[in-house]
Amino acid sequence: MLGIGVIGMLLPQPVIIPVQGATARDWNVDSFWYTPWGASGVHKGIDIFAAQDTPVLATTHGVVVFTGVFGNGGRVVLMLGPRWRLHYFAHLESVSVSVGRVLALGAALGTVGDSGNALGKAPHLHYSVLSLVPYPWRIRAQPQGWKRAFYLDPGAVIGE
């Protein structure tokens, strides 16, 4: 079992921007961990703005572990990738993958939308990265600061 854990941490993690045609100019770099942020209190990801129905792509290779409607996120896809990281894609207009599907880097998984609490706002993809292995040195004395041990800045992950 330990061997599987170590292998998962050592797998290479190439990462791309998850919205077709988007660049780093399509999100606010200061939006990760922005507070106050609506009902969630803290914004634990980045919002990548794009036209409705723009393809959303797998940021890395991995396996889909959840698809469906999930609270404020609306239509979502959750993918487990290398380094035991969960990649969360929310506010989708459509989902084109199912649980258990293995995705290659850049595979289409849905389209940009405004589902969930994004309804009536500009279409965008909310993208978060959560580590199943905590990084305790990232904890801060701020609202929900203990969660920083698990949530990674997606903009920095894309730049890794």
Side-chain angles (χ1 to χ4, degrees):
M1 192 62 133
L2 178 63
I4 292 172
V6 170
I7 290 170
M9 290 300 291
L10 296 176
L11 287 174
Q13 179 183 270
V15 180
I16 62 169
I17 296 172
V19 175
Q20 185 174 306
T23 69
R25 291 186 298 271
D26 294 311
W27 72 84
N28 181 339
V29 296
D30 296 326
S31 65
F32 174 70
W33 218 263
Y34 187 85
T35 185
W37 195 273
S40 65
V42 176
H43 194 242
K44 300 172 191 80
I46 57 175
D47 292 339
I48 304 170
F49 292 88
Q52 185 91 6
D53 295 321
T54 300
V56 173
L57 312 173
T59 50
T60 189
H61 46 274
V63 62
V64 176
V65 295
F66 178 81
T67 65
V69 177
F70 187 73
N72 290 336
R75 280 184 284 287
V76 304
V77 171
L78 186 63
M79 181 183 81
L80 177 62
R83 301 185 188 169
W84 299 108
R85 292 178 178 175
L86 292 168
H87 299 260
Y88 175 75
F89 308 86
H91 306 312
L92 299 172
E93 177 65 24
S94 66
V95 172
S96 57
V97 295
S98 56
V99 173
R101 180 161 171 205
V102 176
L103 299 177
L105 173 74
L109 56 86
T111 59
V112 170
D114 63 354
S115 62
N117 68 355
L119 188 62
K121 299 175 184 165
H124 65 278
L125 171 72
H126 174 89
Y127 175 58
S128 292
V129 180
L130 297 91
S131 176
L132 297 178
V133 177
Y135 295 85
W137 57 90
R138 295 182 181 199
I139 295 173
R140 301 287 184 269
Q142 64 184 151
Q144 300 182 36
W146 67 273
K147 292 181 180 179
R148 288 189 73 123
F150 299 95
Y151 284 89
L152 307 178
D153 179 350
V157 170
I158 290 169
E160 285 182 345

